[in-house]
Amino acid sequence: MAEHGAGHHDHGHVHLTYQPAMPMSKGKLIVWLFLSTEIMFFAALIGEYIVLRFGAPANTWPGPHDVHVKEWIGALNTFVLICSSVTIVLALEMAKANKPGLAKMWLTVTFSLGCIFLGWKAVEYTSKFQHGIYPAQPRSRLYEKADIYYVAACRERLSGIVSEVAEANNRQDQLAKAVVDLPAEQEALPGEIDELRDEESKLLDEESSDEQQEALADVRQQIAEKEARLAELGREIPASERELAELEATADERQERAEIAQHLLDNAVRWTEVTAARSDDPVQRKMVMAALAYHVYPLHRFEHEALAYLEAEGKSLSVEQKQLSNQLATLTGEQKTLNQKLLDLKKRQDDVNNQINSASAAGAEASGDESQPSSAADLQAEANRIAAEVTATEAATKTSAAMATETENRLKAVSGRLSILPELAEVEHGLNEEYHWIELPMFIPSGNMWASTYFLMTGFHAIHVIVGLIVFVLLMPMRLDAKRAGFLENTGLYWHFVDLVWIFLFPLLYLF
């Protein structure tokens, strides 16, 4: 009985089996260790963005529309990556079920979705590059303040456009002359070469001497140079004709661009520079530069202030224009009066001088005209008085002319400014959108900081997506059966991490 009990006790003993290592494969352990470092890396990047974003001064961080971020593209890419996470899981399940054909199909779908994600990112990057939004200088056209440096950059860009058009026009004129002169030179060269060859033949028939050899070498050198020039003309003439045709085809467009650029340069940018430099009011200096920046690249949060300033400026300039017109008319009339007075005085001065000369020559009294002074002393006093009056009138004429010129220049500037204000009001999306070729600098508060963080985070994420796609390419030639399920599972873990990072990036970059 006891033995039976003991045997029964031995039979019921529980035998435990111990795992000699962690309950996961070495590959999965390595992947988790790698992902832990990646989590810390992206946590630092996202934390840095949050600190910069919410630490920026109020109303300065760019909104999505300010920097051409389209929410629907971000949402579409988020959906694409979520679908890719589903398809990589389906690929793993098919591999575990030992269905390599289906596993490879779902892996191919995952790879295709990853490529679609990168394609949309390329579209977004291209859109930003086209608008001058880069991570940093020198290509970036972002300015975080609408200050004098921003205005100077606008002036430099517009002046460059005008200079480029002038250079292209000069080049067109040179080519037009060249396509006439070069064919004439080309036609003359064969005859000149034939003459030199005849001379070469004559030299060869002569007795050999040092002088003959030197002359022969000189003739042959000339032949070689002219043949080389003839060959060069054969290439240069067609190239010049093609370039001339291209320049002639774009001549009207270039001229139109030059006129627009000059108009903006004179009546928008230089006006802003002069106003900001001469104004003693810091508010006016700030607003005139902000108004320029708004019309180049409108940010809606500054719309009310910019439009209100321009409306007030238009009213003020209309009043000033009328005053300047009246003042110029007065100065013009004054100038006519002074000029006529000066002519009369000079005529009178000549008459008196003639009388003095006559009296001095005759040794007698001057003309019998009773209205004239009767003595030489009186005539000289009259001459001195007239000379002084002529000098004073000339000075007054110069002063009036200078005032008229200054008034006319101011009136011209005011009229130009008034002419451009309605044009700027009609430009709905800014000058850069109205004229894509103009590429003026843009005022976006915190724009450079936003661009740096945006391209940094999305760039690193894109690199991780590319690494995942490379791994998919390496997997595709393999037989994805149950033996490869572990490798496929580890790849899926990495891909899920990439998708998870994007789910954090999407609301940060696209929605706030």
Side-chain angles (χ1 to χ4, degrees), residues 192-202 223 227:
E192 295 175 6
I193 293 172
D194 291 340
E195 292 178 1
L196 289 171
R197 290 196 183 281
D198 292 340
E199 186 176 349
E200 179 186 22
S201 299
K202 292 177 181 179
I223 291 173
E227 287 178 341

Side-chain angles (χ1 to χ4, degrees), residues 192-455:
E192 295 175 6
I193 293 172
D194 291 340
E195 292 178 1
L196 289 171
R197 290 196 183 281
D198 292 340
E199 186 176 349
E200 179 186 22
S201 299
K202 292 177 181 179
L203 290 171
L204 289 174
D205 293 338
E206 295 177 359
E207 294 183 4
S208 178
S209 64
D210 292 340
E211 294 180 357
Q212 184 264 357
Q213 291 298 326
E214 290 178 2
L216 183 60
D218 182 59
V219 168
R220 286 176 173 172
Q221 182 179 357
Q222 292 183 47
I223 291 173
E225 290 174 354
K226 291 187 180 294
E227 287 178 341
R229 176 58 178 164
L230 186 61
E232 182 183 354
L233 288 173
R235 298 186 298 270
E236 186 176 348
I237 291 174
S240 298
E241 290 174 345
R242 287 194 299 271
E243 186 178 356
L244 178 61
E246 293 173 359
L247 288 172
E248 288 177 342
T250 59
D252 293 340
E253 181 182 357
R254 287 200 315 273
Q255 186 60 32
E256 181 183 3
R257 290 185 177 186
E259 291 173 358
I260 292 172
Q262 190 66 55
H263 182 48
L264 292 172
L265 182 62
D266 293 337
N267 302 315
V269 176
R270 284 178 177 156
W271 171 273
T272 300
E273 279 188 312
V274 171
T275 303
R278 293 180 177 177
S279 177
D280 295 328
D281 185 0
V283 175
Q284 185 186 23
R285 289 199 300 267
K286 176 183 176 182
M287 288 308 304
V288 71
M289 293 186 287
L292 172 66
Y294 173 80
H295 282 292
V296 170
Y297 190 79
L299 299 179
H300 293 296
R301 58 180 177 271
F302 301 125
E303 180 178 6
H304 176 72
E305 294 179 357
L307 295 183
Y309 171 80
L310 291 177
E311 183 180 0
E313 183 188 46
K315 292 179 180 179
S316 174
L317 291 179
S318 296
V319 174
E320 184 180 359
Q321 185 184 39
K322 293 179 181 177
Q323 293 174 347
L324 289 170
S325 298
N326 294 333
Q327 184 178 350
L328 184 60
T330 302
L331 288 170
T332 301
E334 181 182 329
Q335 275 188 297
K336 291 181 180 179
T337 302
L338 288 171
N339 287 332
Q340 185 62 46
K341 180 180 179 181
L342 188 59
L343 289 174
D344 293 341
L345 285 171
K346 287 184 176 181
K347 183 179 179 181
R348 173 64 177 159
Q349 187 179 39
D350 291 340
D351 291 342
V352 171
N353 287 335
N354 290 334
Q355 292 175 25
I356 292 173
N357 293 334
S358 298
S360 176
E365 293 183 354
S367 172
D369 189 349
E370 295 180 355
S371 65
Q372 302 295 333
S374 58
S375 67
D378 292 338
L379 286 172
Q380 188 60 50
E382 177 71 5
N384 292 339
R385 184 189 66 78
I386 293 174
E389 193 171 354
V390 166
T391 302
T393 305
E394 286 178 343
T397 302
K398 290 180 180 179
T399 301
S400 178
M403 292 178 61
T405 301
E406 183 179 353
T407 303
E408 186 177 6
N409 290 338
R410 178 62 181 174
L411 179 60
K412 182 179 179 182
V414 169
S415 300
R417 180 64 174 175
L418 285 172
S419 70
I420 204 173
L421 290 180
E423 298 173 16
L424 293 176
E426 293 176 0
V427 178
E428 183 178 357
H429 300 292
L431 295 172
N432 278 350
E433 290 295 324
E434 183 75 11
Y435 311 110
H436 293 284
W437 48 268
I438 205 165
E439 296 181 351
L440 290 172
M442 298 172 294
F443 164 57
I444 303 179
S446 300
N448 284 310
M449 183 61 70
W450 177 89
S452 297
T453 53
Y454 173 84
F455 285 107

Side-chain angles (χ1 to χ4, degrees), residues 4 83-84 86 152 259 336 339 427 461 503:
H4 176 74
C83 290
S84 71
V86 174
E259 291 173 358
K336 291 181 180 179
N339 287 332
V427 178
H461 180 264
I503 289 176

